[in-house]
Amino acid sequence: GQQVMQIPQYQHVQEGEDFTTYCNSSTTLSNIQWYKQRPGGHPVFLIQLVKSGEVKKQKRLTFQFGEAKKNSSLHITATQTTDVGTYFCAGDGGSQGNLIFGKGTKLSVKP
Amino acid sequence: DAGVIQSPRHEVTEMGQEVTLRCKPISGHDYLFWYRQTMMRGLELLIYFNNNVPIDDSGMPEDRFSAKMPNASFSTLKIQPSEPRDSAVYFCASSIDRGHPGELFFGEGSRLTVL
């Protein structure tokens, strides 16, 4: 079945450093979504990318969707302690309505 | 507006007991998803419904798990009998049909511990 791989599994950074997480799918995706889960919380939607090569920004966060629509990345510039949490990508599973989540990248930020 | 509401928030039970988790999706949402989250396996899709109809239950671990959605505002996930390996956080999520999966709105989860 379809797999969504995410790396790295963990990332420890000093506050102010940049952070990037990468997502790769075994199949072409129609769209990809990104979520953030704070410790002890639930996943919260960040953004959805639909077009090949699409780039979207939300303040310090930059999201990219690969040209082949099989990979994506999330880049955070100048991390802050409020960025702490686990970032998940999720791609459609080939059937409408089915979203497959990556294992997530857990970000810790040292003040 | 109220978000996705799940109950109970925490459940501790003994092996062999029946567990029922409940979910009220956001009004007007067409899709309802049940996910299970563990450290080892991450977020796993168990089953999802579209307009109250189960579409894909291939993620349901085994016959001990069952899910129903009797109407648009209520769904249950039942485990009978429960086992220690079922210990996890179970999330319910809902979304609007936008022709492709729209953003998922997650509930706060039900943390299940089976002793």
Side-chain angles (χ1 to χ4, degrees), chain A residues 11 13-19 35-39 46 58-61 74-87 105-109:
Chain A
Q11 185 81 55
V13 300
Q14 193 78 34
E15 189 172 22
E17 292 181 339
D18 291 357
F19 158 77
Y35 291 79
K36 177 184 178 181
Q37 184 177 20
R38 288 201 162 94
L46 294 176
Q58 289 180 350
K59 296 183 181 178
R60 295 178 294 104
L61 277 62
L74 158 59
H75 179 82
I76 302 179
T77 304
T79 54
Q80 300 175 358
T81 54
T82 53
D83 295 326
V84 163
T86 302
Y87 293 84
T105 297
K106 187 173 183 178
L107 171 65
S108 62
V109 179

Side-chain angles (χ1 to χ4, degrees), chain B residues 2 4-5 8 10 17 19 24 29 40-41 46 51 68 73-75 78 87 90 93 102 107-108:
Chain B
V4 175
I5 299 173
H10 302 274
Q17 296 298 306
V19 173
K24 176 178 168 54
H29 280 196
M40 291 297 294
R41 301 174 70 91
L46 300 177
N51 293 319
K68 293 181 179 179
S73 59
F74 184 66
S75 177
K78 187 175 291 187
S87 298
Y90 291 81
E108 295 190 352

Side-chain angles (χ1 to χ4, degrees), chain A residues 33 35 45-46 48 99, chain B residues 29 94-96 98 100-105:
Chain A
Q33 299 179 13
Y35 291 79
F45 176 83
L46 294 176
Q48 179 170 269
L99 272 180
Chain B
H29 280 196
S94 68
S95 74
I96 295 176
R98 301 185 189 282
H100 52 75
E103 65 177 281
L104 298 189
F105 292 81

Side-chain angles (χ1 to χ4, degrees), chain A residues 6-58:
Chain A
Q6 207 173 336
I7 56 169
Q9 189 175 358
Y10 301 96
Q11 185 81 55
H12 309 281
V13 300
Q14 193 78 34
E15 189 172 22
E17 292 181 339
D18 291 357
F19 158 77
T20 305
T21 173
Y22 301 90
C23 184
N24 290 286
S25 170
S26 56
T27 59
T28 301
L29 302 169
S30 62
N31 69 86
I32 195 158
Q33 299 179 13
W34 285 92
Y35 291 79
K36 177 184 178 181
Q37 184 177 20
R38 288 201 162 94
H42 58 279
V44 175
F45 176 83
L46 294 176
I47 207 160
Q48 179 170 269
L49 305 172
V50 180
K51 299 177 183 176
S52 169
E54 188 170 13
V55 178
K56 286 188 175 180
K57 292 191 175 185
Q58 289 180 350

